[in-house]
Amino acid sequence: MSEPRIVAVVAMAENGIIGRQGAMPWRLPTDLKRYRRLTMGKPMIMGRKTLESIGRILDGRDTIVLSHQAALPVAGAHLAASPNDALTLARDLASGRGSDEIVIAGGGEIYRLFLDRTERLYVTLVAATPEGDARFPDIDEGIWLKVQDETVPATEKDSAAMRFLVFDRR
């Protein structure tokens, strides 16, 4: 099996905002279904604050938390002290699961740390411009090629319409 590719999965507003005070500034059950489908059976690398905002380990996925803290707020997650340690652990876990992708799952600083190593971006572009304190790095079209763009209307349970985008590194 070849080396698993590193992908980022993110929901972001039109202004780049991905979070506000440890939470997402929208309610998008439609996107959460996509997130589950894209991440199931894969190791996920995230920061401590992201894990705290989720509040639990997600079923069917390995959670690797990049943190300088010695203990994690949620049982069952793997702790990594550096980006390289996180990737080494993720590769081992991906191999054990037969997974072809390692998911970078946020937040903003974690996306920035891994962006140069990321090969694909799965972006949910939320049709909103909320205020927030966490943002996704700018997607430079000189580096990233949009390979998918699907408009998704809001259901009665979603707080906004969205677009499902996929970018591959050029």
Side-chain angles (χ1 to χ4, degrees):
M1 184 171 133
S2 63
E3 187 92 353
R5 74 178 161 186
I6 300 170
V7 304
V9 179
V10 63
M12 69 181 217
E14 293 167 340
N15 58 357
I17 294 296
I18 60 172
R20 179 176 57 223
Q21 298 175 343
M24 287 186 274
W26 46 70
R27 205 170 138 278
L28 300 172
T30 300
D31 176 57
L32 292 177
K33 288 181 185 137
R34 178 183 192 236
Y35 185 86
R36 181 177 175 82
R37 184 174 43 80
L38 289 172
T39 61
M40 185 57 67
K42 300 172 184 173
M44 300 175 22
I45 299 173
M46 65 183 68
R48 178 188 48 80
K49 291 178 192 171
T50 298
L51 177 61
E52 287 175 350
S53 75
I54 295 170
R56 62 184 173 86
I57 299 299
L58 298 175
D59 66 310
R61 293 154 274 194
D62 297 301
T63 301
I64 301 163
V65 178
L66 184 57
S67 176
H68 298 295
Q69 296 191 2
L72 292 174
V74 177
H78 303 272
L79 182 63
S82 73
N84 286 337
D85 289 349
L87 282 175
T88 297
L89 180 55
R91 286 184 183 107
D92 289 345
L93 293 166
S95 176
R97 284 186 174 268
S99 174
D100 61 349
E101 291 181 334
I102 294 167
V103 175
I104 308 304
E109 186 57 31
I110 301 301
Y111 288 126
R112 269 186 291 287
L113 279 171
F114 287 95
L115 194 59
D116 287 346
R117 305 180 202 198
T118 302
E119 299 168 60
R120 172 169 274 189
L121 305 175
Y122 293 103
V123 177
T124 298
L125 187 62
V126 182
T129 54
E131 291 187 19
D133 52 21
R135 49 184 324 109
F136 192 78
D138 291 337
I139 298 172
D140 181 341
E141 292 186 16
I143 297 171
W144 298 100
L145 174 67
K146 188 187 321 172
V147 296
Q148 182 180 334
D149 186 340
E150 175 188 356
T151 299
V152 181
T155 68
E156 64 281 352
K157 294 180 180 178
D158 294 314
S159 61
M162 62 211 94
R163 287 169 51 204
F164 292 161
L165 308 174
V166 179
F167 295 87
D168 284 335
R169 185 175 290 280
R170 290 185 186 269

